[in-house]
Amino acid sequence: MDVLGTPKSLDEDLYSRQLYVLGLPAMQRLREGKVLLSGLQGLGAEVAKNLVLMGVGSLTLHDPHPTCWSDLAAQSRTWQEAGLRHLKNVWPSSTKLSRSASTQATSLRTYCWTSRFPPNPTSQAAQSPSPSLGCRVGWAVVLDLLIVRCTQVVVLTASNLEEQLKVGTLCRKHGVCFLVADTRGLVGQLFCDFGKDFTVEDLTEEEPLTAAIQHISQGSPGILTLRKEADARYFCDGDLVTFSGIEGMTELNGCDPRPIHVQEDGTLEIGDTTSFSCYLRGGAVTEVKRPTTVSHDPLDTALLQPRVVAQSPQEGRRARCLHQAFRALHKFQHLSGRPPQPWDPADAEKVVDLARALEPLRGTEGELLDEALVRTVALSSAGVLSPMAAMLGAVAAQEVLKAISRKFMPLNQWLYFDALDCLPEDGEFLPNPKDCAPRGCRYDGQIAVFGAGFQEKLSHQRYLLVGAGAVGCELLKGFALVGLGAGANGGLTVADMDHVERSNLSRQFLFRPQDIGKPKAEVAAEAARRLNSDLRVTPLTHPLDPTREHIYGDDFFSCVHGVAAAVDSFQARHYVAARCTHYLKPLLEAGTQGTRGSASVFVPHVTEGYSGPASAAEDAPHPVCTMRYFPSTAAHTLQWARDEFERLFRLSAETINCSQQALTSLADRDRPQLLQVVVGLLRHRPRNWQDCVVWALGHWQLRFRYGIMQLLRHYPPDKVLKDGTLFWSHPKQCPQPLEFDASQDTHLLYVLAAANLYAQMHGLPGSRDQPALRNMLELLPLTDPQHLDSIFSSDLASTELGPEQVERLNEALQDWSEGSPLEPLRFEKDDDSNFHVDFVTAAASLRAQNYGIPPANRIQSKRIVGQIIPAIATTTAAVVGLVGLELFKVVGGQPPRPRPRPRSAFRHSYLHLAQNSFSRFVPPAPAIQKAWPNLA
């Protein structure tokens, strides 16, 4: 039996949050995936970073281009020292850039194999310091990588159309998934070709729907009735289901998937059950997810008949216009040998003319070309922006994940994303060619879009970043790249009280293994300074909460221009938002859950304030009586097991440690029972491992056999209430006592975990030897229930102890008091070697067996009990890119501009990468309240 329940090759600690998004099968496929990435400017570097963090098995990097200053505007780890030495002809050999990129990837995470893509030795790219774009790929090497190394996915960034068509044809021929990603200033493009028949194994990130069964009739069709708490609306006609844990009608357990029909009353028709045994109790019905086949067109076809991702017909028309703009930009570069110059009206008009002359797209007769849109794209297309690279790089990496893991629906087939709303709406403030000309500095890519004056304004900003977790680290990286607070009068303050944990390393790329245990704020600040040596960043390890307002008070906020919130609770968001409202500071906020993400901006007097929920719905507590005696869901059993851990291994130890005071004052309702359970069947303090096993086995008997028998004595299965209804009716499920069986894995795991925790609490050595434990348990006698009855008082009856129990307890506690103090154990979800999650999982599963409830597996249990929010690097990077775009607008609206940007310029954003849903909308206006409402 594998206690961890996950493959040995998968590091569950590292990928714990991502496992809840992808699941084990998809994670295993990702770990075996092989990707070729060509183009390592800002966009390519973002794709590579995300793939490495997610755990792709093999990543081959290629780029023969020399580094230039504009790359530094969006590169999280570019090689400034080399660029400073060679300002014009940088690196005639492609291997230097590839070597640096490979080093970067492997330093992020040692589980990813990377290799450098050498240039074709006969090509001009390998011999010339200024390789032409048309010959920069060694086709023989590409073919070798595709066939010999069995590459599954090829991604091209910063490539011309000729390259895209040639590589796309080659990938199509060999059955390799092909992606093209590109950004031009404030516009981005992504294309996916996964072949003619690509099978998607799982469309969603949700676990298969599982519901508890109340009854199944014998008949044709058999009618399945779900328990009251289950919701049949989540099942659909034609869904395939299977069954498990049924007593009586066991023919259904593990059967081939059966189609269902959902009836109006919520019952399910499940096919002919006439010949099956009579249903007795328990069991679960579980959805079987169906694979879906996707068909993509090759690039040459998709260019003229594009299928674009759009949420509305208006978005579709805009996307097709941007499609033509990109085609025109490729044509301009092919004819001129260069991209359009920044904000050059003549070059922009040439691009518009080329767009007019393009062959019309098929199926779009009557659609007019939006020439103003094409012109704006051309004027700003020379720039390279970190937020755009972050956004498009995240979506591209997510599509690579879909190609490898066959999880989630791929894009169909073109995605166009534009943030032209970042540009001033007033033509008076638009950049000019002179202001956007290269300065020979790391911000040239950004200056090409917004101008040098805007860059100067960015450098003088002073911002507070609250939180240095996954979102916070990405934000800090983005701030470093755009130069926020990098000037003489600027600065960043990073506030976070937490320390680096191992699970952080798969999403927070500023951290390294050697940083585990260090303060997040300090590590992140130092890493950000390495990204941009001009950055002025101050770490604070004090939380931003009401207890620290003497630190984050008037003096502090008077020196801050704005706040970025990257916190993980609604309570913290509300407090940060309240501080911003009080001090009239703009707030940038982002959050993620799995492949869903949001980015919001709140500007005083311009937009509404933050108004999120007060708390998450899952934080609502369950009624105590429901958890203790009448559970009906896996969540109930898990909360009960979590409380058991606290009572057995923390509260009881603390009570024993102050036993002298406890014995003179037993008025506290829980103290007698706490003292009883820690003593258990033992008459003396445990001396060795076997004593701990005896205690654990006795407690198994108490909780899952004797305790249930005791409950049924008070409330027999046939008990009838005064109104004539059965006591054990919906939603109560009549429990059944269990028989201990050491051959059953869950029984053994409970005793193994409980005995080890009991040993830890008493400072004794434990054991992981499961065969030896099984042999020991076969030799130990099971306790007579009457003996348990004489030791333990019923928590259903009076809490007062009888004289015999008090005497027994006093004798035992006297023995306990002679040893060293006990060690109270505090629940830690992220250490899979400490038996904490193992105990809770096993206890909850046994409790579920008592009540006929479908149990949660270990991964589900860890997420629910540990209150873990599913997370993945791609969603984090995407929302941070969206926040960065809003930052440009907030800063752009400051002096010397006479007034802030209008509300119509700002965007709240929501995305769902698994479902290819992208929504951006103008924030609501602030509420207007009259100071004297009774006055006219």
Side-chain angles (χ1 to χ4, degrees):
M1 179 183 64
D2 180 8
V3 174
L4 294 183
T6 54
K8 296 296 185 183
S9 60
L10 183 64
D11 189 331
E12 186 183 355
D13 284 350
L14 187 63
Y15 297 110
S16 60
R17 276 53 172 176
Q18 186 171 296
L19 271 170
Y20 302 120
V21 181
L22 301 181
L24 280 174
M27 271 299 305
Q28 290 166 345
R29 286 191 284 266
L30 181 63
R31 292 289 294 116
E32 297 168 359
K34 296 183 178 181
V35 181
L36 164 63
L37 171 62
S38 179
L40 291 171
Q41 297 178 3
L43 178 56
E46 280 290 327
V47 176
K49 178 260 295 178
N50 291 325
L51 291 176
V52 169
L53 289 175
M54 289 191 297
V56 68
S58 169
L59 177 61
T60 302
L61 306 173
H62 166 252
D63 193 323
H65 286 138
T67 300
C68 59
W69 278 114
S70 62
D71 292 333
L72 291 165
Q75 257 283 21
S76 61
R77 187 69 82 101
T78 314
W79 306 274
Q80 299 180 52
E81 60 277 4
L84 291 173
R85 288 198 306 269
H86 309 282
L87 295 182
K88 294 183 179 179
N89 297 321
V90 187
W91 296 335
S93 167
S94 69
T95 58
K96 289 187 178 179
L97 183 55
S98 299
R99 185 179 302 116
S100 297
S102 178
T103 301
Q104 175 193 356
T106 52
S107 70
L108 279 175
R109 188 179 56 77
T110 58
Y111 297 92
C112 176
W113 179 87
T114 60
S115 67
R116 293 174 295 281
F117 189 166
N120 187 337
T122 62
S123 72
Q124 183 180 351
Q127 303 169 15
S128 167
S130 303
S132 65
L133 291 175
C135 64
R136 75 178 181 88
V137 176
W139 303 114
V141 180
V142 173
L143 192 61
D144 172 67
L145 287 169
L146 291 175
I147 298 177
V148 179
R149 299 187 183 181
C150 300
T151 298
Q152 295 170 266
V153 186
V154 171
V155 184
L156 297 186
T157 69
S159 57
N160 62 41
L161 186 57
E162 180 186 1
E163 284 179 339
Q164 295 169 10
L165 289 168
K166 288 182 179 179
V167 177
T169 300
L170 196 60
C171 290
R172 190 83 174 190
K173 175 183 176 182
H174 294 286
V176 174
C177 295
F178 174 60
L179 285 84
V180 174
D182 196 7
T183 60
R184 304 291 182 99
L186 287 162
V187 180
Q189 171 196 67
L190 180 60
F191 169 76
C192 296
D193 175 13
F194 289 3
K196 185 178 180 180
D197 296 303
F198 180 82
T199 301
V200 183
E201 301 289 348
D202 187 354
L203 293 176
T204 68
E205 60 195 286
E206 285 76 23
E207 294 280 340
L209 179 61
T210 296
I213 298 170
Q214 180 63 35
H215 185 263
I216 305 174
S217 69
Q218 289 174 301
S220 182
I223 303 298
L224 185 152
T225 304
L226 299 174
R227 288 196 187 173
K228 188 175 181 180
E229 69 275 2
D231 195 338
R233 292 175 299 173
Y234 292 109
F235 288 103
C236 300
D237 278 348
D239 279 354
L240 296 178
V241 299
T242 189
F243 307 88
S244 61
I246 295 174
E247 295 181 24
M249 198 177 285
T250 55
E251 296 88 344
L252 285 174
N253 289 331
C255 68
D256 292 334
R258 287 183 160 223
I260 61 170
H261 171 63
V262 182
Q263 301 191 102
E264 290 185 2
D265 62 358
T267 58
L268 308 178
E269 292 183 0
I270 62 171
D272 190 358
T273 61
T274 306
S275 62
F276 292 171
S277 305
C278 182
Y279 174 84
L280 295 179
R281 71 187 293 267
V285 55
T286 302
E287 169 196 15
V288 176
K289 293 192 175 184
R290 292 182 175 183
T292 300
T293 301
V294 173
S295 180
H296 283 170
D297 293 328
L299 180 59
D300 55 354
T301 302
L303 275 172
L304 296 178
Q305 195 168 359
R307 289 182 280 178
V308 298
V309 176
Q311 312 301 318
S312 67
Q314 181 181 0
E315 286 187 18
R317 289 190 293 272
R318 186 176 180 90
R320 287 186 288 273
C321 183
L322 293 173
H323 182 82
Q324 295 295 73
F326 268 86
R327 291 179 65 197
L329 288 171
H330 280 298
K331 190 72 172 177
F332 180 95
Q333 192 156 339
H334 177 75
L335 295 174
S336 306
R338 62 171 178 83
Q341 295 297 317
W343 293 93
D344 186 322
D347 281 357
E349 287 307 315
K350 291 178 183 178
V351 173
V352 174
D353 292 340
L354 291 171
R356 288 196 204 100
L358 289 172
E359 179 182 350
L361 301 176
R362 296 170 191 164
T364 62
E365 292 78 8
E367 277 191 13
L368 299 177
L369 181 70
D370 187 341
E371 295 185 3
L373 176 60
V374 175
R375 185 175 293 107
T376 303
V377 170
L379 287 168
S380 58
S381 64
V384 178
L385 300 175
S386 168
M388 290 296 297
M391 172 61 187
L392 267 293
V395 181
Q398 186 73 29
E399 295 307 302
V400 172
L401 181 150
K402 295 177 184 178
I404 296 172
S405 68
R406 296 183 177 269
K407 187 176 178 75
F408 310 139
M409 181 63 74
L411 286 173
N412 188 31
Q413 286 184 262
W414 294 93
L415 172 69
Y416 284 93
F417 175 80
D418 80 271
L420 295 170
D421 40 68
C422 289
L423 296 173
E425 57 285 333
D426 189 340
E428 178 185 352
F429 294 98
L430 286 174
N432 59 70
K434 182 178 179 181
D435 194 36
C436 295
R439 263 57 175 180
C441 73
R442 66 174 299 138
Y443 308 114
D444 276 355
Q446 202 159 273
I447 289 172
V449 177
F450 297 113
F454 177 81
Q455 188 60 48
E456 184 72 12
K457 189 186 296 186
L458 266 177
S459 71
H460 294 314
Q461 295 293 301
R462 292 184 296 275
Y463 260 71
L464 167 64
L465 171 60
V466 186
V471 174
C473 279
E474 282 287 340
L475 280 170
L476 190 55
K477 179 262 291 182
F479 293 162
L481 295 182
V482 303
L484 183 71
N489 299 318
L492 297 176
T493 300
V494 184
D496 195 309
M497 63 179 291
D498 288 340
H499 293 71
V500 179
E501 299 177 357
R502 180 167 174 74
S503 62
N504 301 147
L505 302 183
S506 67
R507 295 167 295 117
Q508 300 165 11
F509 82 110
L510 295 183
F511 303 150
R512 299 293 183 268
Q514 61 268 26
D515 298 325
I516 293 175
K518 298 179 182 178
K520 285 184 177 181
E522 295 177 2
V523 174
E526 180 58 32
R529 283 190 285 265
R530 290 196 297 270
L531 297 180
N532 185 345
S533 58
D534 295 329
L535 194 67
R536 300 169 179 269
V537 55
T538 302
L540 293 178
T541 57
H542 309 290
L544 184 66
D545 62 26
T547 67
R548 297 296 192 278
E549 290 187 0
H550 61 286
I551 298 174
Y552 306 101
D554 295 350
D555 292 341
F556 179 88
F557 275 97
S558 65
C559 298
V560 169
H561 292 109
V563 177
V567 294
D568 57 4
S569 74
F570 290 112
Q571 181 182 5
R573 286 187 176 97
H574 276 285
Y575 181 77
V576 173
R579 293 284 85 191
C580 291
T581 300
H582 179 76
Y583 290 106
L584 297 179
K585 303 297 180 182
L587 171 65
L588 301 165
E589 189 270 334
T592 71
Q593 182 171 5
T595 61
R596 296 174 174 86
S598 66
S600 305
V601 56
F602 306 97
V603 182
H605 307 307
V606 177
T607 72
E608 67 170 358
Y610 177 78
S611 58
S615 63
E618 58 269 21
D619 292 340
H622 302 294
V624 174
C625 62
T626 297
M627 288 189 302
R628 285 191 177 181
Y629 311 122
F630 314 120
S632 57
T633 67
H636 292 158
T637 66
L638 284 166
Q639 186 58 58
W640 174 85
R642 179 68 176 83
D643 292 345
E644 269 283 279
F645 181 96
E646 289 294 304
R647 287 165 55 84
L648 292 176
F649 307 116
R650 184 179 70 83
L651 297 176
S652 62
E654 292 172 350
T655 303
I656 287 285
N657 289 342
C658 59
S659 59
Q660 297 303 318
Q661 294 85 346
L663 287 174
T664 58
S665 176
L666 292 174
D668 188 328
R669 175 183 175 85
D670 288 330
R671 274 187 171 178
Q673 293 181 11
L674 286 173
L675 295 170
Q676 283 180 308
V677 296
V678 75
V679 173
L681 296 179
L682 299 177
R683 297 293 185 90
H684 57 79
R685 183 175 175 131
R687 309 286 195 264
N688 52 42
W689 168 244
Q690 181 168 326
D691 284 349
C692 297
V693 172
V694 169
W695 174 87
L697 178 59
H699 202 76
W700 191 103
Q701 290 282 98
L702 172 66
R703 285 296 182 240
F704 308 113
R705 183 163 179 77
Y706 167 72
I708 299 299
M709 294 167 61
Q710 193 180 57
L711 178 64
L712 292 176
R713 284 203 297 267
H714 283 80
Y715 305 108
D718 57 355
K719 181 179 177 63
V720 178
L721 300 176
K722 292 181 179 179
D723 61 1
T725 61
L726 285 172
F727 176 84
W728 292 107
S729 57
H730 293 310
K732 300 185 186 75
Q733 182 74 10
C734 185
Q736 298 291 328
L738 303 181
E739 291 275 0
F740 183 79
D741 183 354
S743 67
Q744 293 193 29
D745 286 349
T746 307
H747 296 207
L748 184 68
L749 177 57
Y750 178 90
V751 175
L752 177 71
N756 272 282
L757 294 171
Y758 196 67
Q760 293 172 26
M761 192 170 69
H762 288 87
L764 297 173
S767 173
R768 295 178 180 273
D769 191 336
Q770 296 176 32
L773 175 62
R774 185 174 276 115
N775 293 334
M776 182 188 298
L777 290 170
E778 290 174 354
L779 299 175
L780 289 175
L782 294 178
T783 307
D784 187 331
Q786 291 184 352
H787 181 52
L788 286 168
D789 204 9
S790 68
I791 296 176
F792 295 99
S793 64
S794 170
D795 58 358
L796 292 166
S798 171
T799 60
E800 294 183 4
L801 302 181
E804 181 181 350
Q805 292 170 325
V806 170
E807 182 180 355
R808 188 188 305 275
L809 191 57
N810 275 310
E811 291 175 357
L813 291 177
Q814 184 63 35
D815 183 64
W816 254 265
S817 65
E818 293 175 359
S820 59
L822 302 190
E823 178 65 33
L825 304 183
R826 283 165 175 77
F827 186 78
E828 172 50 59
K829 65 182 182 296
D830 287 322
D831 182 356
D832 285 318
S833 66
N834 62 12
F835 290 101
H836 293 196
V837 174
D838 295 319
F839 173 83
V840 170
T841 301
S845 181
L846 291 166
R847 187 74 164 175
Q849 289 180 37
N850 280 138
Y851 285 86
I853 299 169
N857 61 34
R858 188 182 193 281
I859 292 178
Q860 293 168 334
S861 300
K862 183 175 179 179
R863 178 181 63 81
I864 295 171
V865 175
Q867 298 182 325
I868 296 173
I869 300 174
I872 192 167
T874 47
T875 314
T876 300
V879 298
V880 166
L882 294 168
V883 167
L885 295 171
E886 299 309 306
L887 172 69
F888 288 152
K889 302 171 188 177
V890 172
V891 174
Q894 295 179 0
R897 186 184 172 96
R899 59 186 179 276
R901 297 287 301 274
R903 181 169 61 91
S904 59
F906 296 99
R907 297 290 185 273
H908 286 338
S909 301
Y910 292 91
L911 55 84
H912 190 184
L913 296 180
Q915 301 298 321
N916 305 316
S917 175
F918 306 90
S919 174
R920 302 178 74 219
F921 58 92
V922 176
I928 299 176
Q929 297 179 344
K930 291 184 178 180
W932 298 278
N934 296 326
L935 296 180

